[in-house]
Amino acid sequence: MTSQTALLTSPPTDQQLIDFVVSEARMIDMQRFEEWLDLFCEDGHYWMPLEWGQTDPRLTCSLMYEDRLLLKIRVERLKGNRTFSQKPKSRCHHVLQTPQVDRRDEAANLYQTWTPMHYVETRFDEQQLFAAWATHTLCVEDGRLKIKLKRVDIVNCDAAFGNIQLFM
Amino acid sequence: MPRYTGNAEAVRGLIREREVHRDVYIDEEVFQLEMDHLFANTWVYVGHDSQIPNAGDYFGTTIGSQPVLMVRHGDGAVHVLFNRCPHKGVRVTTETCGNTGKFFRCPYHAWSFKLDGSLLAIPLKKGYENTGLEESEAIKGLTPVKHVRNYRGFVFAKLNDTGLDFEEFFAGSLSSLDNMIDRSPAGRLEVAGGVLRYMHNCNWKMLVENQTDTCHPMVAHESSAGTAIDVWKNAPEGTKKPMAVEIFAPFMSSYEFFEGMGIRVWPNGHGHTGVSHSIHSDYSVIPGYFEQMSAAYGEDKAKAILDENRHNTVYFPNVMIKGPIQLLRLFKPISANKTLVESWTFRLVDAPDVLLERTLMYNRLINAPTSVVGHDDLEMYERAQEGLHVDANQWVNIQRLYSEDEKPDVTAETNGTTEWQMRNQFRAWSKFITMSM
Ligand code: FES
Ligand SMILES: [Fe+2]
């Protein structure tokens, strides 16, 4: 499975946007985290709000608001020899509804999709189920689609959770 | 057969000078005694008064296992009431916080109560004529918590008459709260940014002990803080050190660093790490902040306030604050093996927003259910909660840097890797839990 075989020579079609979002989730499920990191723009962010309808990631707390440096720390940590919370490792599983293309702005090179999903994370005998909406803000860089912002709104974002160790 | 209920001797026997019995962590009967006695005889944090600025504002929480409401009265005073309708027991408020107007109205049969809890009205009251309502429990309304103290915005309550008065209970430890509050040029804090709630499958005391456990960061957090340092090393030369790296990196400080920073213990189970310096000492200067502080306090006092970089202050039984970060963690006991950790953050009134931004980043990176540092710690607590069921050894060791002449209930400064503060907490535990038995 490859996310994007040929380089884009013209603005992405809706189907290409949809394929990108679907393959991004698959990459996480297959734990191909290094490749997954490369899907983010240099200034890309992964955002998981803490508040319902949150608008500000800076002066309102989030569960995650991570740039590439912080995401890289997570990905490296998952591999670490002394990462005891990953012995044994967690696994995860996405079920996506077909992504909907909400915005196409070719002039600004910005595209936005909206994807309801169920996400399962497991470790040992524990299995947790989350319901969420993923909003991808994408752009084209050097002929490839890249993530400017992946926002994950968990339906019960303000509930008291146990560990969430992978990526939704 | 109950082993501990009504048996103060057996409860005291759980705490030895240098070790504690595993039942303090895993036994549900002991947990119930903690709820009935320990959390009733001590001053427990309820909330911050900035959460209820206007008359009629309320905030619902728990003291031990008891649901309570903190409410702002018309005269500005803060009252704490048990959240239970005197009629049939219904929880009076549905939202965690909100404004109830001039009175509370129970959603079941519309009995209503003034903001101090007293009964205001009962619909169709004539049905109670000649029934002796005056002698009932119900006529008293929502039961108030008798002992409430608002200390510079921080509201504490004590359920029982037993115990110490507020000043005696906290004594010198209030200097940590003072320092956190004084860091605002206005001398005022406001709850801001939202609360992180993180469920832990372990006993609440493991979390409290961890707050002054200075021999674990470089070991347990090597995976997170150590990786952060490694990743940062590969950044291109000349890149400005990001705030996140400033926050993560000091967790990997050496044993010598932690030994040198010192621990101070106070009477009644309070204490703090970071007497001379701490992992919060070397954060970058926020432009304009010192100038605001100098204008408010004068340069010398401003400097003295900001030079105090205490690490974690434990307020016994279940609170930790970080003055230099403006953060409060509340370890709410749910059962012997379940704890809800709430991490609250504060805005320094009149200080630059960047400080709140740093506070929130710290909370997100260290205290969220999605935090890698949180994952490191919780893994250890859960393994301990499981390991303590081993019958072969039933004692938890707390004797690091113990000495025979260590006295209970004193103020002392000592080596930053001592477990004295853990012993201090258990001595206080033994004292307050048996006080009303
Ligand atoms: S239970 Fe509250 S009015 Fe009846
Ligand atoms: Fe820790």
Side-chain angles (χ1 to χ4, degrees):
Chain A
M1 170 232 152
T2 48
S3 54
Q4 281 166 289
T5 37
L7 293 183
L8 292 166
T9 49
S10 50
T13 62
D14 280 8
Q15 191 57 48
Q16 282 169 320
L17 295 169
I18 291 167
D19 289 348
F20 177 88
V21 171
V22 171
S23 62
E24 188 249 348
R26 181 165 174 180
M27 217 176 253
I28 297 174
D29 287 354
M30 295 173 79
Q31 310 224 2
R32 289 158 56 191
F33 294 128
E34 322 252 323
E35 279 170 76
W36 177 72
L37 265 184
D38 283 334
L39 297 181
F40 285 80
C41 305
E42 268 321 303
D43 62 350
H45 279 81
Y46 178 100
W47 184 17
M48 193 185 276
L50 175 66
E51 260 182 21
W52 182 249
Q54 189 172 333
T55 52
D56 175 19
R58 198 173 78 94
L59 298 182
T60 301
C61 197
S62 301
L63 289 162
M64 284 172 73
Y65 184 64
E66 310 228 328
D67 58 10
R68 284 191 58 144
L69 177 88
L70 283 169
L71 291 173
K72 171 106 175 131
I73 291 169
R74 276 183 196 270
V75 167
E76 289 300 311
R77 176 183 175 276
L78 289 173
K79 299 186 293 196
N81 227 341
R82 290 184 172 156
T83 304
F84 302 108
S85 78
Q86 282 297 301
K87 290 170 182 286
K89 286 193 178 306
S90 303
R91 291 193 287 258
C92 68
H93 178 273
H94 286 78
V95 177
L96 307 187
Q97 203 180 90
T98 306
Q100 299 172 38
V101 179
D102 278 357
R103 182 180 167 206
R104 304 183 49 95
D105 189 340
E106 289 173 20
N109 186 20
L110 280 178
Y111 306 89
Q112 196 166 299
T113 62
W114 186 76
T115 317
M117 65 184 191
H118 282 186
Y119 170 84
V120 166
E121 194 171 298
T122 74
R123 185 167 172 254
F124 280 119
D125 295 337
E126 296 282 319
Q127 177 166 301
Q128 302 181 83
L129 171 66
F130 299 87
W133 298 273
T135 308
H136 287 74
T137 307
L138 306 173
C139 64
V140 180
E141 260 182 28
D142 301 327
R144 293 190 186 282
L145 277 168
K146 293 265 185 168
I147 302 172
K148 271 202 124 35
L149 177 67
K150 178 176 179 181
R151 171 177 172 144
V152 178
D153 286 278
I154 307 177
V155 63
N156 55 341
C157 52
D158 46 5
F161 297 120
N163 283 351
I164 301 172
Q165 299 206 55
L166 300 178
F167 306 95
M168 283 190 201
Chain B
M1 249 240 326
R3 289 174 294 165
Y4 300 110
T5 309
N7 188 349
E9 236 7 81
V11 172
R12 273 187 212 106
L14 294 168
I15 313 299
R16 295 176 179 167
E17 274 292 273
R18 283 161 280 197
E19 50 195 9
V20 297
H21 193 266
R22 55 121 181 242
D23 281 0
V24 305
Y25 301 101
I26 64 173
D27 188 282
E28 289 295 347
E29 189 190 341
V30 173
F31 180 83
Q32 194 52 50
L33 292 173
E34 290 182 330
M35 296 304 102
D36 295 346
H37 300 279
L38 182 70
F39 279 81
N41 296 336
T42 49
W43 287 90
V44 179
Y45 179 68
V46 181
H48 193 266
D49 74 356
S50 64
Q51 295 170 266
I52 49 165
N54 304 311
D57 286 350
Y58 66 85
F59 165 67
T61 180
T62 48
I63 296 176
S65 59
Q66 300 295 300
V68 295
L69 279 173
M70 174 174 88
V71 57
R72 181 77 72 168
H73 200 261
D75 65 7
V78 172
H79 291 251
V80 179
L81 311 170
F82 289 97
N83 197 354
R84 182 244 191 245
C85 178
H87 182 211
K88 301 240 189 279
V90 166
R91 175 163 45 81
V92 177
T93 56
T94 32
E95 302 286 338
T96 305
C97 53
N99 185 291
T100 191
K102 287 194 165 35
F103 57 88
F104 290 107
R105 179 180 180 273
C106 179
Y108 202 0
H109 313 97
W111 287 28
S112 57
F113 314 94
K114 295 186 196 154
L115 297 179
D116 63 4
S118 58
L119 187 63
L120 180 64
I122 298 178
L124 206 62
K125 195 159 184 196
K126 63 175 190 284
Y128 291 97
E129 276 165 22
N130 307 316
T131 64
L133 186 68
E134 324 62 69
E135 289 122 52
S136 69
E137 289 295 328
I139 191 94
K140 297 178 196 158
L142 298 169
T143 313
V145 174
K146 264 198 277 174
H147 308 278
V148 177
R149 180 64 190 270
N150 181 351
Y151 184 79
R152 302 187 66 185
F154 290 79
V155 177
F156 292 84
K158 182 164 70 74
L159 303 182
N160 277 358
D161 291 335
T162 317
L164 307 177
D165 69 30
F166 184 87
E167 268 72 24
E168 190 185 354
F169 182 73
F170 285 115
S173 72
L174 292 172
S175 56
S176 284
L177 266 181
D178 285 336
N179 180 259
M180 181 156 87
I181 301 162
D182 290 345
R183 284 169 172 266
S184 148
R188 224 154 26 87
L189 301 182
E190 278 172 9
V191 166
V195 56
L196 281 168
R197 303 167 71 235
Y198 190 176
M199 198 58 88
H200 282 52
N201 291 320
C202 68
N203 187 270
W204 64 276
K205 294 186 291 304
M206 287 185 188
L207 280 135
V208 183
E209 282 152 46
N210 175 266
Q211 306 310 309
T212 59
D213 183 326
T214 48
C215 286
H216 90 282
M218 66 298 278
V219 182
H221 299 306
E222 186 185 334
S223 93
S224 47
T227 305
I229 291 170
D230 290 344
V231 170
W232 169 240
K233 272 190 203 133
N234 294 323
E237 192 91 30
T239 319
K240 186 177 171 292
K241 198 189 218 182
M243 199 184 261
V245 175
E246 268 190 5
I247 288 172
F248 274 135
F251 280 76
M252 288 306 284
S253 303
S254 64
Y255 286 115
E256 293 69 34
F257 175 91
F258 285 104
E259 282 192 304
M261 79 187 217
I263 281 185
R264 183 183 281 126
V265 295
W266 289 294
N268 303 318
H270 317 300
H272 79 96
T273 47
V275 178
S276 57
H277 59 270
S278 77
I279 66 167
H280 306 309
S281 296
D282 288 330
Y283 294 157
S284 344
V285 169
I286 304 295
Y289 175 46
F290 184 71
E291 290 69 17
Q292 290 176 323
M293 288 290 284
S294 296
Y297 294 103
E299 212 175 303
D300 290 349
K301 176 134 192 248
K303 216 172 156 322
I305 292 167
L306 298 177
D307 279 352
E308 189 79 51
N309 275 299
R310 297 182 183 183
H311 175 213
N312 292 342
T313 298
V314 169
Y315 286 112
F316 186 79
N318 66 330
V319 169
M320 184 278 282
I321 68 158
K322 275 182 182 296
I325 297 285
Q326 298 93 51
L327 189 144
L328 180 150
R329 299 182 80 203
L330 188 56
F331 309 109
K332 289 182 153 178
I334 292 177
S335 67
N337 55 19
K338 204 174 181 117
T339 305
L340 172 62
V341 183
E342 290 182 352
S343 298
W344 293 88
T345 43
F346 300 88
R347 176 202 300 279
L348 297 169
V349 174
D350 288 351
D353 275 349
V354 187
L355 281 153
L356 178 59
E357 185 180 356
R358 179 158 72 195
T359 299
L360 295 181
M361 181 180 280
Y362 189 96
N363 212 19
R364 188 169 83 227
L365 293 181
I366 311 299
N367 298 327
T370 36
S371 147
V372 287
V373 170
H375 300 158
D376 292 339
D377 281 325
L378 180 51
E379 176 69 14
M380 297 307 133
Y381 307 144
E382 291 186 349
R383 287 189 193 203
Q385 196 70 28
E386 193 181 311
L388 287 175
H389 286 85
V390 167
D391 294 329
N393 171 7
Q394 306 191 3
W395 295 87
V396 170
N397 189 285
I398 51 166
Q399 77 185 97
R400 201 182 151 71
L401 292 171
Y402 172 77
S403 100
E404 295 276 328
D405 49 19
E406 192 175 289
K407 300 254 178 339
D409 286 337
V410 293
T411 299
E413 282 168 32
T414 179
N415 183 302
T417 60
T418 185
E419 288 173 345
W420 190 345
Q421 173 54 20
M422 300 179 200
R423 296 188 286 278
N424 189 31
Q425 284 157 205
F426 277 110
R427 288 176 189 134
W429 185 91
S430 184
K431 176 166 95 176
F432 288 104
I433 198 171
T434 56
M435 208 171 245
S436 49
M437 278 183 186

